[in-house]
Amino acid sequence: MSMTKTFTRLALGASLALGTVGAAQAADEDVRIGFIVKKPEQAWFINEQQAATQVGEELGFRVVRLGGEDGQGVLSAIDNLYSQGAQGFVICPPDVRLGPAVMNRANQYGMKVITVDDQFVDGNGEPLEGVPHLGMSGYKIGQQVGEAIAAEMEARGWDPQEVAALRITNNELPTAKERTDGATDALIEWGFPAENVFDAPQQNTDTNSAFSAASPVISQRGNFEHWIIYALNEESVLGGVRATEQYGLSADDVIGVGINGSGAAFAEFSRSNPTGFHGTVAVSSTQHGRQTAENLYRWIVEGEEPPANTETSGTLMTRDNWQDVRAELGL
Ligand code: FCA
């Protein structure tokens, strides 16, 4: 809500500026920004990059969409942007520890940088200062996941003592840890037994890595008939759900709740039979893409530095309401 207001105010500010220095400067400078993402094939990032391109078309700047799937890929994307005359870039890095290296390269080129979704960390694992960030309010959204799972366990009349939790983790990534910690805390507060929570550490943030992490955990705990599943995103929860299916568990035995609200969830909700993927906490990737691209543009053209940290919120999306939530969030 407040972000929408900020957006309107900024848009209004922009139109007032046009006709004076703002317009001339924008036209002269031929603003071009990069938008680099760690997983260009995932629906969340496809939508985020499209939304950035769209706001660029509306406000009159160019967005170059690039993938940066490892450190080398990110550095060559930055070189590529420099050779195209870009004045800055928005990035969701493949590894948050790349921050200092990325900033070195950007500073050499005089480029401005904003992170989206995953925030850079310094050598001590603390958020890297001086790089504006926009991302989900991870812990809170994780709590929403835990609450949604608890409500569904109640609706199904499950005895929590007889339920196993598959927590698909990526503890090296603060974005991920905040979210799964929020979910675990909400579940335990509700009365879920901590000793029934089993970790499945994934190497990456996609469906395949989650599937590989989940399978052995499920087979080691074959005594449980009911499973709940959570992770940093819906792609990973889907990996967990696919692993339960392979193990022979039915949709009635599984409650998976993800995070994102992207095409991955829409495809799952569109299947004719429900699966163990009960829902996902949807966040507007459209807003993430638009807001960061616009913030960077304003920073380049008007010298207005974006807020140090902006946190966005989420809405539970299930098979029953997903189309409405999708429309509300502009997805
Ligand atoms: C991380 C996850 C993505 C998405 C994003 C907001 O980058 O890997 O799936 O949740 O945060």
Side-chain angles (χ1 to χ4, degrees):
M1 191 64 176
S2 61
M3 281 188 48
T4 319
K5 274 193 199 139
T6 315
F7 179 71
T8 320
R9 185 169 52 75
L10 289 174
L12 188 66
S15 49
L16 290 177
L18 293 179
T20 58
V21 188
Q25 208 179 15
D28 285 347
E29 278 189 10
D30 184 19
V31 176
R32 187 173 292 212
I33 67 166
F35 204 109
I36 306 173
V37 299
K38 65 177 181 180
K39 296 231 166 267
E41 78 290 356
Q42 283 187 351
W44 169 274
F45 294 107
I46 293 172
N47 193 55
E48 196 167 64
Q49 287 188 321
Q50 269 169 359
T53 306
Q54 174 72 35
V55 76
E57 279 164 13
E58 289 164 22
L59 297 179
F61 62 94
R62 297 268 296 274
V63 176
V64 182
R65 295 183 263 190
L66 293 165
E69 305 191 49
D70 55 26
Q72 200 48 48
V74 168
L75 293 177
S76 53
I78 300 170
D79 292 345
N80 175 346
L81 287 170
Y82 178 67
S83 68
Q84 295 193 46
Q87 296 96 335
F89 56 89
V90 177
I91 181 169
C92 176
D95 181 342
V96 291
R97 291 166 301 193
L98 287 170
V102 168
M103 292 313 295
N104 253 332
R105 184 69 58 104
N107 290 336
Q108 277 167 20
Y109 292 150
M111 289 173 155
K112 294 188 163 53
V113 181
I114 295 180
T115 50
V116 66
D117 304 332
D118 295 344
Q119 188 170 23
F120 289 147
V121 295
D122 63 19
N124 299 318
E126 295 300 322
L128 187 67
E129 284 194 19
V131 187
H133 177 72
L134 183 147
M136 289 183 190
S137 155
Y139 186 80
K140 257 194 239 157
I141 287 175
Q143 284 176 308
Q144 283 175 272
V145 168
E147 285 157 11
I149 293 175
E152 184 62 16
M153 279 192 283
E154 252 166 42
R156 295 190 193 182
W158 289 4
D159 171 1
Q161 300 301 327
E162 290 173 5
V163 179
L166 180 68
R167 172 171 61 190
I168 303 171
T169 55
N170 197 327
N171 288 339
E172 296 285 292
L173 177 63
T175 318
K177 188 167 177 341
E178 284 166 11
R179 299 180 195 175
T180 46
D181 282 354
T184 307
D185 289 354
L187 283 164
I188 288 176
E189 198 171 308
W190 170 79
F192 194 83
E195 61 277 14
N196 289 7
V197 177
F198 305 111
D199 276 326
Q202 63 181 159
Q203 304 297 324
N204 214 312
T205 53
D206 56 17
T207 302
N208 281 344
S209 65
F211 180 88
S212 313
S215 299
V217 179
I218 297 164
S219 64
Q220 275 157 20
R221 309 284 168 183
N223 49 323
F224 285 97
E225 282 170 17
H226 288 156
W227 284 81
I228 59 173
I229 306 175
Y230 56 99
L232 95 152
N233 61 15
E234 63 208 17
E235 288 80 358
S236 302
V237 170
L238 283 167
V241 170
R242 296 288 94 92
T244 59
E245 288 163 355
Q246 205 202 28
Y247 196 71
L249 292 163
S250 76
D252 293 342
D253 300 324
V254 176
I255 303 170
V257 174
I259 294 174
N260 277 354
S262 72
F266 308 156
E268 190 75 4
F269 293 139
S270 302
R271 291 162 67 131
S272 45
N273 293 318
T275 69
F277 185 80
H278 170 67
T280 193
V281 178
V283 177
S284 180
S285 47
T286 303
Q287 196 181 19
H288 280 213
R290 286 187 72 96
Q291 185 84 52
T292 49
E294 176 171 358
N295 285 354
L296 181 58
Y297 169 71
R298 301 264 170 240
W299 194 9
I300 292 166
V301 175
E302 296 163 6
E304 183 186 333
E305 186 163 343
N309 190 20
T310 304
E311 293 195 336
T312 59
S313 59
T315 310
L316 181 65
M317 179 184 257
T318 62
R319 210 176 154 85
D320 297 334
N321 72 353
W322 71 272
Q323 275 146 319
D324 294 339
V325 176
R326 180 182 183 178
E328 262 166 47
L329 297 183
L331 295 170

